[in-house]
Structure formats: C-alpha cells, structure tokens
Amino acid sequence: SWIDSGKFAISSRVIKGKNSNNLVFTKETFNSSPDLYFKVKNKPSKKVSNINLQQSEYLWGTLESIQWMNFSGKHNKGLLVKPNDFDPKKKYPLIVNFYEKSADAIHTYRPPEPLRSQISYSYYASRGYVIFNPDIHYDTGTPGEDAYDAIMSGVQYLLNQGYIDEKNIGIQGHSWGGYQTAYLLTKTNLFKAAESGAPVFNMFSAYGGIRWESGLSRMFQYEHQQSRIGQTPWEAPFKYFDNSPLFKADRITTPVLILHNDKDGAVPWYQGIEMYTALRRLGKKAWLLNYNEEPHWPVKLQNRIDFQIRMSQFFDHYLQQKPMPTWMRNGVPALEKGINQGYEFIKD
C-alpha cells in the first residue's frame, strides 16, 4: 500500500532488497509503458528506465471506465477507448471488442502489436475508432442472451451519448467471444461488420467434439464450464438449439470475417466451416481465414501480421468507407496462399 499513490498497475513480481526494504517494480497505465521504478520507504518512487521514447511520436488514445444500467436492471461496467483528439460533438465509428470481463484491466499497457486474436486498441484509436469492451455477467443456460444483455445495453448507452455513428458499428471477438459475436448477429442488424474468431456455431456438434490438443471430450465444457448450458442435450435440447447461431443464421445480415485454423486444439475448426458454409449457402457476405498448421490463433509472426492487416482492411472498408482490397473481392486461391496476398485496393 505504500508503493505509490495514483491510478496505475504494478508488476506482479515486486523485488525487495536483500538487506533493506527498498523495492524495485514496474508501473504502467494504458498510455505509459511498464518502466522500472525504485522505491525507498516514505519517499516517492523514482523512475529508472524510459523504454518507449518513440511513443511520443504517435497518437495513442485514452482509456476510461464507464458504467451503465443493463437490460436486466443491473449495473454494468466496461472500458472505453477514445482517440487522442476526441471531440464529443463529432461522430465516431465504434468497434465492440470483448471476452468475459476486462474492466479490471483498465491500467494495462496496450502497445500496437500484431496480436493473435483481437484488435490492437492503440492502433485502432490512432485511426479514429472508439473501442468499447463491456463486462458480461452470466447465468446458467443463457450464455447468448447474457452477452446480448450486456453488450447491446452498453452500445445503446454509448449511442445515447451522441458521439457514436450508429451506421458504423462493428464487433470483434475470439473463441468464447467469437461464439457470442455469432450469436449476436442472429439477434440484431445494428452491426455493420463483424469478425468472429474460432467460433462455436453449432452447440450440438461442438458438444460431441474433441479438444484435440488435450484429447478431452468437449462435453464437460457445456455441462459445467464456460459454455454454461448446465445440462446435456438430452436433458435440455432447446437450450442447445436456442444458443446455437447455426439454426438462426438466416437472420444474419452483417458481413462477417471468420478466423479459424486447421490445427485448433480448443475449438474444432469444423465449427468455423459450419459458420462459413451456412452463411454462403444463405447468400450472406462471409470470408474465412485459415492459417495452415496454426492452433487456436495465429502464432507465427507473419501470420499474426497478415491477420491484423486483413482485419483492419475489413473494418476500414465497412466502417470508414475505405476501398475493398482484392482478397475480399476475389479471394485468394489455395495455390497462391503466401504468394498473392491480395492486399491491394480495387479501383471501381
């Protein structure tokens, strides 16, 4: 408690002097990198490193905590990232990014790196996006509706503030977040673009699958853990049906970018195939990214960079009216993967 005053995060490993009570630790916030600090008791800490001088040359954005009342009448928390030159009188495109609960990570430093499975907050904020990350609270048996309650009530709260462009809202999530993204698209046409990574699209077939990395049946996850159905398909078939986006895919109007790799050891990649083939059969706009021999998310640096480029081009096209890249218009033939990237823009 005597390390410092203020709002920040410190490293989980605080080093104490061998023969003194002096401390060494790192301290960070959303827009200050985790530099090293030296602390003598009862004196202010002293910054002893400056690892990120280049940050001053870039727009970074700001991050704040927000609260609102969800549709269930309960208080909800979330994170909101705004561009550096934010003007509440202007209208901004919004991207909703989430997993389960992230509000406590308000002071985490987020550099513009090629992440494996989600958008980079500082990168998107620097390019004029507002980013919203709501906490989701779950009851047993209704994971889809629980996500809808928290996310859509939060988006409505932001729309009421007047600075969000209601015609340019996107959503992005991976794994459990990818499933919830797919579910939400069957319930609303508010989103203009969506990225759904490693999603469960059909809870019946996913329940009977294998987590190939560990060899475990996926049944335990639906009966007792994250998927939160709480019963078997024989006990509660309609819960599996109601929470499976596949059976309501005809309601989806939002263009969807799907990421699912063929060595995914957590969510069998046929779930991504079920989503893609269903949407294409229904005449919907959908793209499937598959990085061969990669697991639950891209691990190799070149694949993470490629994924981030394509996701950025996808959202920019729909939410900022940028040109459509060639890969979105024509696809990339299997024989040309890694050779013809298709990043170039099409001139209409």
Side-chain angles (χ1 to χ4, degrees), residues 324-341:
M324 177 180 281
T326 302
W327 68 268
M328 287 181 64
R329 179 73 61 87
N330 302 326
V332 177
L335 293 177
E336 296 181 22
K337 287 181 70 172
I339 301 171
N340 175 19
Q341 305 289 14

Side-chain angles (χ1 to χ4, degrees), residues 201 245-252 275-285:
F201 203 60
L246 172 67
F247 303 108
K248 299 170 185 174
D250 57 322
R251 302 178 185 178
I252 295 176
M275 183 174 184
Y276 178 71
T277 55
L279 293 176
R280 290 304 301 267
R281 174 65 182 85
L282 291 164
K284 312 293 184 176
K285 294 181 180 179

